[in-house]
Amino acid sequence: MADSTGVTASRDYAESYLAEDAPLRAARARAAEFGCVPIMPGAGAALRFLAAVLAARAVVEIGTGTGVSGLWLLSGMRPDGVLTSVDIESEHQRAARVAFTEAGLPASRTRLINGPALDVLPRLSDGGYDLVFCDAAKAEYADYLVEALRLLRPGGVVAFDNMLWHDRVADPSARDPDTVAIRELGRSIRDDDRLVPVLLHAGDGVLAAVRRA
C-alpha cells in the first residue's frame, strides 16, 4: 500500500501529465487575479477527452470563469464546434474573451451569455447539445442536472466539477450546505436509470454521466 507521500506524488504526476500551453497558463493567472478558482489541469484534460470522444459540436458550460475550462473544452471539440458559456460575472467573461483570442480561436466558436444560469438555460434548445459542463454554484447543481438532461441529445454527457470538494464529500462529518448538495447530487446521478456515471479522481473530482439513448 502506498503511503501518503506516494499518493501525493502520483496525484501531482497525473495533474501534470498534460502540460498547459501559454494561453491556458495566462487564463489561469487571470483567475488568480480575479479570485476565482478554475478547474485543475487533470480535470481540464478529462473535459478535453470527453469533448473529443463525443466529437462535440455544441457544448454548454455553466461557469465561464476566465476561460480555463473553456479552452480545454474547445481543444477537444470539433473544429466547427461552438461553446456556449454562461456566467453571472461579466468581468470574468471579458477575461475569457481575451483568453480565447490569445489561443487563436475565432469569435464564432464561442457564445458567452451573461446572467444567472437558471435564467439562461431554459432559453437554450432541447436536445441540442453534446456535452454540458457544470462548475458554478454548488447549491444549484441539482437544478443544473435537470436542465442538462433536457439540453442533452441521447448519448450526450453531463459533467460536474468539484465532486470531491476538497476531500469533504468523503467525510461524513462534513455537513455544510455545499458539501451536502454535492453529495446528494452524486447519489442522485448514481441512482438515475437514465444515466451511466463515472466519478473521476481528476482535479477536485469530475463526475460525468452519459444520457442513455
Side-chain angles (χ1 to χ4, degrees), residues 120-177:
V120 174
L121 296 176
R123 305 201 300 266
L124 303 182
S125 300
D126 293 9
Y129 297 89
D130 305 297
L131 173 62
V132 177
F133 172 59
C134 309
D135 186 15
K138 311 312 172 191
E140 296 180 351
Y141 265 20
D143 296 314
Y144 300 159
L145 176 62
V146 171
E147 291 296 328
L149 291 176
R150 179 184 62 79
L151 294 170
L152 286 172
R153 62 166 174 81
V157 171
V158 59
F160 290 84
D161 191 33
N162 299 122
M163 289 302 296
L164 299 177
W165 200 228
H166 317 300
D167 294 325
R168 296 182 63 80
V169 172
D171 179 1
S173 67
R175 302 294 302 170
D176 60 279

Coordinates of all heavy atoms in Angstrom, one line a residue, residues 120-177:
V120 N -30.8 31.6 -17.8 CA -30.4 31.5 -19.2 C -30.7 30.1 -19.7 O -31.1 30.0 -20.9 CB -28.8 31.7 -19.2 CG1 -28.3 31.4 -20.6 CG2 -28.5 33.2 -18.8
L121 N -30.4 29.0 -19.0 CA -30.5 27.7 -19.5 C -31.9 27.3 -20.1 O -31.9 26.7 -21.2 CB -30.1 26.6 -18.4 CG -28.7 26.7 -17.9 CD1 -28.5 25.7 -16.8 CD2 -27.7 26.4 -19.1
P122 N -33.0 27.8 -19.5 CA -34.3 27.4 -20.1 C -34.5 28.0 -21.5 O -35.4 27.5 -22.2 CB -35.3 28.0 -19.1 CG -34.6 28.1 -17.8 CD -33.1 28.4 -18.2
R123 N -33.7 29.0 -21.9 CA -33.8 29.6 -23.2 C -33.0 28.8 -24.3 O -33.2 29.1 -25.5 CB -33.3 31.0 -23.2 CG -34.1 31.9 -22.1 CD -34.0 33.3 -22.5 NE -32.6 33.8 -22.6 CZ -32.0 34.4 -21.6 NH1 -32.6 34.6 -20.4 NH2 -30.7 34.9 -21.7
L124 N -32.2 27.8 -23.9 CA -31.5 27.0 -24.8 C -32.3 25.8 -25.3 O -33.2 25.4 -24.7 CB -30.2 26.5 -24.2 CG -29.3 27.6 -23.6 CD1 -28.0 27.0 -23.0 CD2 -28.9 28.7 -24.6
S125 N -31.9 25.3 -26.5 CA -32.7 24.4 -27.2 C -32.7 23.0 -26.6 O -31.6 22.5 -26.3 CB -32.2 24.2 -28.7 OG -32.3 25.5 -29.3
D126 N -33.8 22.3 -26.5 CA -34.0 21.0 -26.0 C -33.2 20.0 -27.0 O -33.3 20.1 -28.2 CB -35.4 20.5 -26.0 CG -36.3 21.2 -25.0 OD1 -35.8 22.2 -24.4 OD2 -37.4 20.8 -24.8
G127 N -32.4 19.1 -26.3 CA -31.7 18.1 -27.1 C -30.7 18.6 -28.1 O -30.4 17.8 -29.0
G128 N -30.2 19.8 -27.9 CA -29.4 20.4 -29.0 C -27.9 20.3 -28.6 O -27.1 20.9 -29.4
Y129 N -27.5 19.6 -27.6 CA -26.1 19.7 -27.1 C -25.5 18.3 -26.8 O -26.2 17.4 -26.4 CB -26.0 20.6 -25.8 CG -26.4 22.0 -26.1 CD1 -27.8 22.4 -26.0 CD2 -25.5 23.0 -26.6 CE1 -28.2 23.7 -26.3 CE2 -25.9 24.2 -26.9 CZ -27.3 24.6 -26.7 OH -27.7 25.9 -27.1
D130 N -24.2 18.3 -27.1 CA -23.5 17.0 -26.9 C -22.9 16.9 -25.5 O -22.8 15.7 -25.0 CB -22.3 16.9 -27.9 CG -22.7 17.1 -29.3 OD1 -23.5 16.3 -29.8 OD2 -22.3 18.1 -29.9
L131 N -22.6 18.0 -24.9 CA -22.0 18.0 -23.6 C -22.4 19.2 -22.8 O -22.5 20.3 -23.4 CB -20.4 18.0 -23.8 CG -19.5 18.1 -22.6 CD1 -19.7 17.0 -21.6 CD2 -18.0 18.2 -23.0
V132 N -22.7 19.0 -21.5 CA -23.0 20.1 -20.6 C -22.0 20.0 -19.4 O -22.0 18.9 -18.7 CB -24.4 20.1 -20.1 CG1 -24.7 21.2 -19.1 CG2 -25.4 20.2 -21.3
F133 N -21.2 21.0 -19.2 CA -20.3 21.0 -18.1 C -20.7 22.1 -17.1 O -21.0 23.2 -17.4 CB -18.9 21.4 -18.6 CG -17.9 21.6 -17.5 CD1 -17.6 20.6 -16.6 CD2 -17.2 22.8 -17.4 CE1 -16.7 20.8 -15.5 CE2 -16.3 23.0 -16.4 CZ -16.0 22.0 -15.4
C134 N -20.7 21.6 -15.8 CA -21.2 22.5 -14.7 C -20.1 22.8 -13.7 O -19.6 21.8 -13.1 CB -22.4 21.8 -14.0 SG -23.7 21.2 -15.1
D135 N -19.9 24.0 -13.5 CA -18.9 24.4 -12.5 C -19.2 25.8 -12.0 O -18.5 26.8 -12.2 CB -17.5 24.4 -13.1 CG -16.4 24.7 -12.1 OD1 -16.7 24.6 -10.9 OD2 -15.2 25.0 -12.5
A136 N -20.3 25.9 -11.3 CA -20.8 27.2 -10.7 C -21.3 27.0 -9.3 O -20.7 26.2 -8.6 CB -21.9 27.8 -11.7
A137 N -22.5 27.6 -9.0 CA -23.0 27.5 -7.6 C -23.3 26.1 -7.2 O -24.2 25.4 -7.8 CB -24.2 28.4 -7.5
K138 N -22.6 25.5 -6.2 CA -22.8 24.1 -5.8 C -24.3 23.9 -5.3 O -24.8 22.8 -5.6 CB -21.8 23.7 -4.7 CG -20.4 24.1 -5.0 CD -20.0 23.7 -6.4 CE -18.6 24.3 -6.8 NZ -18.2 24.1 -8.2
A139 N -24.9 24.9 -4.7 CA -26.2 24.7 -4.2 C -27.2 24.5 -5.4 O -28.3 24.0 -5.2 CB -26.6 25.9 -3.4
E140 N -26.8 24.9 -6.6 CA -27.7 24.8 -7.8 C -27.4 23.6 -8.6 O -28.0 23.4 -9.7 CB -27.6 26.1 -8.6 CG -28.1 27.3 -7.9 CD -28.0 28.6 -8.7 OE1 -27.4 28.5 -9.8 OE2 -28.5 29.6 -8.3
Y141 N -26.5 22.8 -8.2 CA -26.1 21.6 -9.0 C -27.2 20.7 -9.4 O -27.3 20.2 -10.5 CB -25.0 20.8 -8.3 CG -23.6 21.2 -8.7 CD1 -23.3 22.4 -9.3 CD2 -22.5 20.3 -8.4 CE1 -22.0 22.7 -9.6 CE2 -21.2 20.6 -8.8 CZ -20.9 21.8 -9.4 OH -19.6 22.1 -9.7
A142 N -28.1 20.5 -8.4 CA -29.3 19.6 -8.7 C -30.2 20.2 -9.8 O -30.7 19.5 -10.7 CB -30.1 19.3 -7.5
D143 N -30.3 21.5 -9.8 CA -31.1 22.2 -10.8 C -30.4 22.2 -12.2 O -31.0 22.1 -13.2 CB -31.4 23.7 -10.4 CG -32.2 23.8 -9.2 OD1 -33.2 23.0 -9.1 OD2 -31.9 24.6 -8.3
Y144 N -29.1 22.3 -12.2 CA -28.3 22.2 -13.4 C -28.5 20.8 -14.0 O -28.6 20.7 -15.3 CB -26.8 22.4 -13.2 CG -26.4 23.8 -12.6 CD1 -25.2 23.9 -12.0 CD2 -27.2 24.9 -12.7 CE1 -24.8 25.1 -11.4 CE2 -26.9 26.1 -12.2 CZ -25.6 26.2 -11.5 OH -25.2 27.4 -11.0
L145 N -28.6 19.8 -13.2 CA -28.8 18.5 -13.8 C -30.1 18.4 -14.5 O -30.2 17.8 -15.6 CB -28.7 17.4 -12.6 CG -29.0 16.0 -13.1 CD1 -28.0 15.5 -14.1 CD2 -29.0 15.1 -11.8
V146 N -31.2 18.9 -13.9 CA -32.5 18.9 -14.5 C -32.4 19.6 -15.9 O -32.9 19.1 -16.9 CB -33.5 19.6 -13.7 CG1 -34.8 19.8 -14.4 CG2 -33.7 18.8 -12.4
E147 N -31.7 20.7 -16.0 CA -31.6 21.4 -17.2 C -30.7 20.7 -18.2 O -31.0 20.6 -19.4 CB -31.0 22.8 -17.0 CG -32.0 23.8 -16.3 CD -33.2 24.1 -17.1 OE1 -33.2 24.1 -18.4 OE2 -34.3 24.3 -16.5
A148 N -29.7 20.1 -17.7 CA -28.8 19.3 -18.6 C -29.5 18.2 -19.3 O -29.3 17.9 -20.5 CB -27.5 18.9 -17.8
L149 N -30.3 17.5 -18.5 CA -31.0 16.3 -19.1 C -31.9 16.7 -20.2 O -32.2 16.0 -21.2 CB -31.7 15.6 -18.0 CG -30.8 14.8 -17.0 CD1 -31.7 14.2 -15.9 CD2 -30.0 13.8 -17.7
R150 N -32.4 18.0 -20.1 CA -33.3 18.5 -21.2 C -32.5 18.9 -22.4 O -32.9 18.7 -23.6 CB -34.1 19.7 -20.7 CG -35.0 20.3 -21.7 CD -35.7 21.6 -21.1 NE -34.8 22.6 -20.7 CZ -34.2 23.4 -21.5 NH1 -34.4 23.4 -22.8 NH2 -33.3 24.3 -21.1
L151 N -31.3 19.5 -22.1 CA -30.5 20.0 -23.2 C -29.7 19.0 -24.0 O -29.4 19.2 -25.2 CB -29.4 21.0 -22.6 CG -30.0 22.3 -22.0 CD1 -28.9 23.0 -21.2 CD2 -30.6 23.2 -23.0
L152 N -29.4 17.9 -23.4 CA -28.5 16.9 -24.0 C -29.3 16.0 -25.0 O -30.4 15.6 -24.8 CB -27.9 15.9 -22.9 CG -26.8 16.5 -22.1 CD1 -26.5 15.5 -21.0 CD2 -25.6 16.8 -22.9
R153 N -28.6 15.7 -26.1 CA -29.1 14.7 -27.0 C -28.9 13.3 -26.4 O -28.1 13.2 -25.5 CB -28.3 14.8 -28.3 CG -26.8 14.5 -28.2 CD -26.1 14.2 -29.5 NE -24.7 14.1 -29.4 CZ -24.1 13.0 -29.0 NH1 -24.7 11.9 -28.7 NH2 -22.7 12.9 -29.0
P154 N -29.6 12.3 -26.8 CA -29.3 10.9 -26.4 C -27.9 10.6 -26.6 O -27.4 10.9 -27.7 CB -30.3 10.1 -27.2 CG -31.4 11.0 -27.5 CD -30.8 12.4 -27.7
G155 N -27.2 10.0 -25.7 CA -25.8 9.7 -25.8 C -24.9 10.9 -25.4 O -23.6 10.7 -25.4
G156 N -25.5 12.0 -25.1 CA -24.7 13.2 -24.6 C -24.2 13.0 -23.2 O -24.7 12.1 -22.5
V157 N -23.4 13.8 -22.7 CA -22.7 13.7 -21.4 C -22.9 15.0 -20.6 O -22.7 16.1 -21.1 CB -21.2 13.4 -21.6 CG1 -20.5 13.5 -20.2 CG2 -21.0 12.0 -22.2
V158 N -23.2 14.8 -19.3 CA -23.2 15.9 -18.4 C -22.0 15.7 -17.4 O -21.7 14.5 -17.1 CB -24.5 16.0 -17.6 CG1 -24.8 14.7 -16.8 CG2 -24.5 17.2 -16.6
A159 N -21.3 16.7 -17.1 CA -20.1 16.6 -16.2 C -20.2 17.7 -15.2 O -20.5 18.9 -15.5 CB -18.8 16.7 -17.0
F160 N -19.8 17.4 -14.0 CA -19.7 18.3 -12.9 C -18.3 18.3 -12.3 O -17.7 17.3 -12.1 CB -20.7 17.9 -11.8 CG -22.1 18.0 -12.1 CD1 -22.8 17.1 -12.8 CD2 -22.9 19.2 -11.7 CE1 -24.1 17.2 -13.2 CE2 -24.2 19.3 -12.1 CZ -24.8 18.3 -12.8
D161 N -17.8 19.5 -12.0 CA -16.5 19.7 -11.3 C -16.7 19.8 -9.8 O -17.8 20.0 -9.3 CB -15.8 20.9 -11.8 CG -14.3 21.0 -11.4 OD1 -13.7 19.9 -11.3 OD2 -13.8 22.1 -11.2
N162 N -15.6 19.6 -9.1 CA -15.6 19.7 -7.6 C -16.4 18.7 -6.9 O -17.0 18.9 -5.8 CB -16.1 21.1 -7.2 CG -15.2 22.2 -7.7 OD1 -15.7 23.1 -8.4 ND2 -13.9 22.2 -7.4
M163 N -16.5 17.5 -7.5 CA -17.4 16.5 -6.9 C -16.7 15.8 -5.7 O -17.4 15.0 -5.1 CB -17.8 15.5 -8.0 CG -18.8 16.0 -9.0 SD -20.3 16.7 -8.2 CE -21.0 15.2 -7.5
L164 N -15.5 16.0 -5.5 CA -14.8 15.6 -4.2 C -14.7 16.7 -3.2 O -14.6 16.5 -2.0 CB -13.4 15.0 -4.5 CG -13.4 13.8 -5.4 CD1 -12.0 13.4 -5.7 CD2 -14.2 12.7 -4.9
W165 N -14.9 18.0 -3.7 CA -15.0 19.2 -2.9 C -13.9 19.2 -1.8 O -14.2 19.2 -0.6 CB -16.4 19.3 -2.3 CG -16.8 20.7 -1.9 CD1 -17.4 21.0 -0.7 CD2 -16.6 21.9 -2.6 NE1 -17.6 22.4 -0.6 CE2 -17.2 23.0 -1.8 CE3 -16.1 22.3 -3.8 CZ2 -17.2 24.3 -2.2 CZ3 -16.1 23.6 -4.2 CH2 -16.6 24.6 -3.4
H166 N -12.7 19.2 -2.2 CA -11.5 19.3 -1.3 C -11.6 18.3 -0.2 O -11.3 18.6 1.0 CB -11.5 20.7 -0.7 CG -11.8 21.8 -1.7 ND1 -11.1 22.1 -2.8 CD2 -12.9 22.7 -1.7 CE1 -11.6 23.1 -3.5 NE2 -12.7 23.5 -2.9
D167 N -11.9 17.1 -0.6 CA -12.0 15.9 0.3 C -13.1 15.9 1.3 O -13.2 15.1 2.2 CB -10.6 15.7 1.0 CG -9.5 15.3 0.0 OD1 -9.8 14.6 -1.0 OD2 -8.4 15.7 0.3
R168 N -14.0 16.9 1.2 CA -15.1 17.0 2.2 C -16.3 16.0 1.9 O -16.9 15.6 2.8 CB -15.6 18.4 2.2 CG -14.6 19.4 2.7 CD -15.2 20.8 2.8 NE -16.3 20.9 3.8 CZ -16.1 21.0 5.1 NH1 -14.9 21.0 5.6 NH2 -17.1 21.1 5.9
V169 N -16.5 15.7 0.6 CA -17.6 14.8 0.3 C -17.4 13.4 0.9 O -18.4 12.8 1.4 CB -17.8 14.7 -1.2 CG1 -18.8 13.6 -1.6 CG2 -18.2 16.0 -1.8
A170 N -16.2 13.0 1.0 CA -16.0 11.6 1.6 C -16.0 11.6 3.1 O -15.9 10.6 3.7 CB -14.6 11.1 1.1
D171 N -16.0 12.8 3.7 CA -16.0 12.9 5.2 C -17.5 13.0 5.7 O -18.1 14.1 5.5 CB -15.2 14.2 5.5 CG -15.2 14.4 7.0 OD1 -15.7 13.6 7.8 OD2 -14.6 15.4 7.5
P172 N -18.0 12.0 6.3 CA -19.4 12.0 6.8 C -19.7 13.2 7.8 O -20.8 13.6 7.9 CB -19.6 10.7 7.5 CG -18.5 9.8 6.9 CD -17.3 10.7 6.7
S173 N -18.7 13.7 8.4 CA -18.9 14.7 9.4 C -19.0 16.1 8.7 O -19.5 17.1 9.4 CB -17.8 14.8 10.4 OG -16.5 15.2 9.8
A174 N -18.7 16.2 7.5 CA -18.8 17.5 6.7 C -20.3 17.7 6.3 O -20.8 16.9 5.5 CB -17.9 17.5 5.5
R175 N -20.9 18.7 6.9 CA -22.4 18.9 6.7 C -22.7 20.3 6.2 O -23.9 20.7 6.3 CB -23.2 18.5 7.9 CG -23.0 17.1 8.5 CD -23.5 16.1 7.5 NE -24.9 16.2 7.3 CZ -25.6 15.6 6.3 NH1 -25.0 14.7 5.5 NH2 -26.9 15.8 6.1
D176 N -21.7 21.0 5.7 CA -22.0 22.4 5.2 C -22.9 22.3 4.0 O -22.9 21.2 3.3 CB -20.7 23.1 4.9 CG -19.9 22.4 3.9 OD1 -19.2 21.4 4.2 OD2 -20.0 22.8 2.7
P177 N -23.6 23.3 3.6 CA -24.6 23.2 2.5 C -24.0 22.8 1.2 O -24.6 22.0 0.5 CB -25.2 24.6 2.5 CG -25.1 25.2 3.9 CD -23.8 24.6 4.4

